[in-house]
Amino acid sequence: KHPDLSRPFPPYLLSPPDNSCPKFLDIWDVDVLKQPQEINKQGHHTHLYSSDFLIVRRTLEFQIKITFDRPYKPAEDKFAVEFVIGAFYWKMSLQTDNTNIVSNPSCTEETFEFGVLDACLFIMDKADMPLSNRGDVIKVTRVASAMLNSRDDDGVLVGNWSGDYTYGVPPTSWTGSVEILLDYAGSRGTPVCYAQCWVYAAVFNTFLRCLGIPGRVVTNFFSAHDNDGNLKMDIILDENGKLDRNRTKDSIWNYHCWNECFMARSDLPSGFGGWQVVDATPQETSDGMFRCGPASVAAVKHGQICYPFDAPFVFAEVNSDVIFYRRQKDGTLEVVKVNPTHVGRMVLTKAVLHDGRRDITDQYKFPEGSPEERRVLEKAEEFGCQREKASLPQSDVEVEIPTLDVRVGDNFDVTLQFKNHSDQRRTADVYVTGTVVYYTGVPSAEVVFKTPKVKLDPLQSKDEKVLVRGEDYMHKLVEQANIHFIATGKIKETGQIITAMKVITIHNPKLIVKVTGSPRVSEEMYVSVEFTNPFKFNLENVDLRMEGPGIMPFKRKQYSLIAPGTSITWTETFSPRRAGSTKLIASLDCAALRQVYGETELTIQQ
């Protein structure tokens, strides 16, 4: 009898055996040891992928267990294992399980929810990327840079900077990448609404790490988006020094998020491997598609912007000068001030293994005003970057706007700090404009316009305060609640122009997230989200979202109305799926109030 009664009898067992021939070697089972606790996933650091398949890393060995119907005799028996291989998929002819191959680097604490790896592979399928190219990390990241946005290829995310998110999820509402990737793959490639730069960067980071490509999100503060293709951000003033909004077209983003991925660049000279900029936010086209990178960070720092891909654009984002022009009556433009330090003020990424920040500005540029920086700018000019070379006399009057910490709805004073460095009296006719702006620098509504006349004695320092009332800005705020203040003026005695700029971010209220219960794997726990409406108006059609990586799937709750002074509490149960340190993250969003967050950290025991 066949030892396994659940299997059909092979034809050779239906007749009397021929004892003169060796018994046929039958395969009963093939086990690729794919369970999280087994040797393959543990050895390849893929045990935290929620997947029914074996996931292994390239170039590392793994084990397969094959069970025959009798003892295997190496001297007499022969069998073959056939591998059908792409770059990220492969199959064995001896079994029906798929196995996914990812790149080598790993973080032992990285977790990926069920379906995320398949969604990342689907993105490359949707791009019709040949399997033969999927082992080339340069090609993978370049294709993904285009596929993460939907501008020209029905990619993952639809960008929206209009403030109207009626037909999708506001970019400030997302609490993670999982929902986005699963929605895209589940719909077989319908773009997900909506994203802005940090959403693109977050999903791109998940894509990179899920495929074993080291990645991190990078934020550049005061990031240049130059519409003229040079290293100049042009701000136009009228003949009296007043800002001309209609003629000022270039925009300086309060910040911009992109990604870096770590790779060898065998296509570039030695020294230009390592961290590379990739950016999925659709800003400009590259080789006919909205994408950016990979661009060598080292090449950007040293002005070697001739190397692929898109290094000139990245170089301009961190190195552009802000040029103030005065428009004469005849329409000609006169350079009146150059600010070489405003753009690329600081480049940050998350610190390793804790929530602090890491300043990586020195990886992108040499110190402002240093001889090295001057040589880099000269090198960039050789490759076509245009700079303003006007030599202007130093103004003997300076003005600055200090940073403020303001709660939403509060009245506050913007302080203009004047300093007269001359030994003579000076009079400044000043224009102060406060404009609600999107984080991209695009203006939404003017909330303040003042024209103080400031008289300064020789060598005098003086503060001039401008009152901003809550009722003037509260109902004009857009998401992220930024007000951009620009002070410009003309010194009566010398004709010189003075300028100062400051973005004041109005702080929203916070969500309170609390966790109770025994913090152990598979134990039931409770999480509550609390919020009180601090305003004098109703919050309508409020959307609450919550999730915890590795411990709680995405959850959502909606409230039709939260009246002034009213508190809400939303409680959910969850059972952690893995041990380790993690967070629960919650967001609140409605048309009148965006970007309200809360989080709590917890450590789950086995």
Side-chain angles (χ1 to χ4, degrees):
K1 292 183 179 181
H2 194 286
D4 184 353
L5 297 181
S6 65
R7 293 164 58 91
F9 284 92
Y12 69 86
L13 291 180
L14 298 180
S15 57
D18 181 358
N19 293 327
S20 64
C21 296
K23 182 183 176 184
F24 185 84
L25 187 67
D26 190 18
I27 298 169
W28 283 3
D29 184 56
V30 177
D31 184 354
V32 295
L33 307 174
K34 64 183 181 180
Q35 298 306 314
Q37 71 276 13
E38 293 184 301
I39 188 171
N40 286 335
K41 284 191 174 180
Q42 289 289 328
H44 287 244
H45 302 298
T46 58
H47 56 289
L48 294 181
Y49 283 78
S50 295
S51 174
D52 291 334
F53 302 128
L54 174 63
I55 304 168
V56 296
R57 299 188 184 276
R58 298 192 316 178
T59 76
L60 301 182
E61 67 177 33
F62 60 96
Q63 297 185 20
I64 303 168
K65 181 180 179 181
I66 304 174
T67 303
F68 301 107
D69 65 328
R70 61 169 175 78
Y72 171 61
K73 301 176 182 178
E76 301 175 7
D77 298 325
K78 293 183 179 180
F79 70 96
V81 180
E82 181 184 11
F83 293 88
V84 181
I85 191 165
F88 291 106
Y89 303 118
W90 61 258
K91 291 183 180 180
M92 290 191 303
S93 63
L94 294 181
Q95 49 94 33
T96 59
D97 279 334
N98 284 350
T99 298
N100 294 310
I101 300 178
V102 297
S103 297
N104 299 68
S106 65
C107 171
T108 57
E109 297 303 316
E110 202 78 66
T111 181
F112 293 103
E113 304 293 337
F114 192 87
V116 169
L117 176 58
D118 292 327
C120 294
L121 298 174
F122 171 75
I123 290 170
M124 290 185 289
D125 292 341
K126 189 74 164 50
D128 294 324
M129 186 177 188
L131 289 176
S132 58
N133 288 349
R134 299 189 190 187
D136 186 329
V137 69
I138 297 172
K139 293 178 180 178
V140 169
T141 54
R142 190 148 174 80
V143 166
S145 174
M147 279 300 301
L148 265 294
N149 70 73
S150 66
R151 282 293 294 268
D152 39 31
D153 47 17
D154 287 332
V156 177
L157 284 159
V158 179
N160 186 341
W161 286 264
S162 70
D164 181 3
Y165 310 115
T166 304
Y167 299 105
V169 176
T172 50
S173 284
W174 300 111
T175 52
S177 303
V178 175
E179 182 188 1
I180 294 170
L181 289 166
L182 296 187
D183 281 356
Y184 183 71
S187 67
R188 306 311 294 168
T190 300
V192 178
C193 302
Y194 293 106
Q196 292 176 8
C197 72
W198 70 92
V199 182
Y200 286 114
V203 177
F204 203 169
N205 215 48
T206 298
F207 175 92
L208 292 169
R209 293 182 175 186
C210 190
L211 296 184
I213 302 169
R216 62 188 185 185
V217 174
V218 170
T219 303
N220 177 38
F221 288 90
F222 301 106
S223 187
H225 187 169
D226 187 0
N227 291 313
D228 303 325
N230 54 35
L231 291 179
K232 299 185 289 185
M233 305 300 298
D234 303 333
I235 296 179
I236 313 301
L237 311 177
D238 68 14
E239 59 182 319
N240 295 315
K242 180 184 176 183
L243 177 67
D244 188 336
R245 285 281 186 194
N246 294 328
R247 290 184 170 87
T248 300
K249 302 299 182 184
D250 289 346
S251 64
I252 302 172
W253 295 31
N254 296 343
Y255 64 87
H256 177 51
C257 297
W258 58 68
N259 299 84
E260 288 180 358
C261 51
F262 199 90
M263 67 177 75
R265 289 297 300 267
S266 58
D267 59 324
L268 302 183
S270 176
F272 293 116
W275 290 112
Q276 312 287 313
V277 172
V278 287
D279 191 349
T281 301
Q283 299 180 86
E284 305 291 341
T285 58
S286 174
D287 293 336
M289 302 184 76
F290 282 94
R291 58 184 167 188
C292 180
S296 167
V297 174
V300 169
K301 179 174 182 176
H302 290 88
Q304 299 284 354
I305 57 176
C306 58
Y307 296 126
F309 298 87
D310 311 310
F313 184 79
V314 179
F315 186 86
E317 287 183 300
V318 297
N319 284 296
S320 291
D321 294 337
V322 180
I323 314 296
F324 291 86
Y325 297 87
R326 179 164 50 195
R327 189 172 185 269
Q328 309 292 0
K329 290 183 177 180
D330 61 2
T332 58
L333 296 177
E334 173 194 6
V335 178
V336 293
K337 187 167 182 180
V338 177
N339 186 336
T341 63
H342 185 73
V343 168
R345 186 82 58 84
M346 185 180 291
V347 185
L348 300 179
T349 190
K350 181 183 175 298
V352 177
L353 299 181
H354 65 85
D355 279 347
R357 67 187 190 181
R358 181 182 175 191
D359 190 335
I360 57 171
T361 311
D362 62 351
Q363 295 186 20
Y364 280 83
K365 56 202 297 188
F366 289 99
E368 299 282 357
S370 66
E372 293 88 353
E373 185 211 26
R374 185 165 56 251
R375 286 194 292 269
V376 164
L377 294 174
E378 291 170 354
K379 175 62 68 175
E381 282 187 285
E382 296 177 9
F383 298 116
C385 281
Q386 301 176 24
R387 295 171 55 221
E388 179 55 56
K389 296 184 177 180
S391 179
L392 302 174
Q394 182 70 31
S395 175
D396 54 20
V397 176
E398 293 179 350
V399 61
E400 293 183 357
I401 304 175
T403 300
L404 277 177
D405 196 35
V406 181
R407 293 185 310 171
V408 66
D410 287 355
N411 299 340
F412 63 95
D413 288 323
V414 174
T415 302
L416 308 180
Q417 297 177 336
F418 292 89
K419 174 67 176 177
N420 180 10
H421 294 280
S422 77
D423 57 3
Q424 300 180 25
R425 291 183 178 179
R426 293 288 184 254
T427 304
D429 293 312
V430 182
Y431 299 89
V432 182
T433 304
T435 307
V436 171
V437 294
Y438 295 93
Y439 85 98
T440 57
V442 174
S444 173
E446 186 177 281
V447 295
V448 173
F449 179 69
K450 301 291 183 181
T451 57
K453 182 185 287 287
V454 180
K455 296 182 179 180
L456 298 167
D457 290 331
L459 302 176
Q460 182 186 14
S461 296
K462 186 176 184 180
D463 290 351
E464 184 79 18
K465 295 185 182 295
V466 175
L467 174 65
V468 183
R469 300 182 304 171
E471 58 261 35
D472 292 336
Y473 69 79
M474 188 63 213
H475 293 285
K476 297 179 181 178
L477 291 177
V478 294
E479 60 258 33
Q480 303 189 46
N482 296 313
I483 304 180
H484 189 200
F485 291 93
I486 298 182
T488 60
K490 184 178 180 180
I491 304 302
K492 180 179 179 180
E493 292 80 5
T494 63
Q496 291 178 325
I497 296 294
I498 56 174
T499 66
M501 297 187 294
K502 181 68 67 174
V503 175
I504 303 296
T505 298
I506 312 298
H507 296 294
N508 284 330
K510 299 285 188 180
L511 298 178
I512 299 173
V513 182
K514 297 179 179 178
V515 174
T516 57
S518 176
R520 295 185 181 278
V521 171
S522 300
E523 293 284 337
E524 186 175 67
M525 299 183 67
Y526 296 87
V527 56
S528 64
V529 179
E530 301 173 4
F531 175 75
T532 300
N533 179 2
F535 307 113
K536 298 178 181 179
F537 53 85
N538 293 332
L539 299 178
E540 300 178 350
N541 301 317
V542 178
D543 187 31
L544 272 171
R545 291 165 173 262
M546 176 168 49
E547 70 178 294
I551 59 172
M552 189 183 79
F554 163 76
K555 295 180 183 291
R556 180 185 183 192
K557 188 174 180 66
Q558 292 180 296
Y559 292 85
S560 59
L561 179 76
I562 304 177
T566 300
S567 297
I568 61 164
T569 300
W570 171 32
T571 302
E572 291 281 352
T573 63
F574 68 98
S575 297
R577 302 188 302 278
R578 70 174 181 90
S581 297
T582 186
K583 289 183 179 182
L584 280 164
I585 305 163
S587 73
L588 178 148
D589 190 274
C590 65
L593 184 63
R594 307 261 189 224
Q595 204 172 14
V596 178
Y597 298 114
E599 64 179 43
T600 187
E601 296 186 8
L602 66 161
T603 300
I604 305 299
Q605 305 297 328
Q606 292 288 356

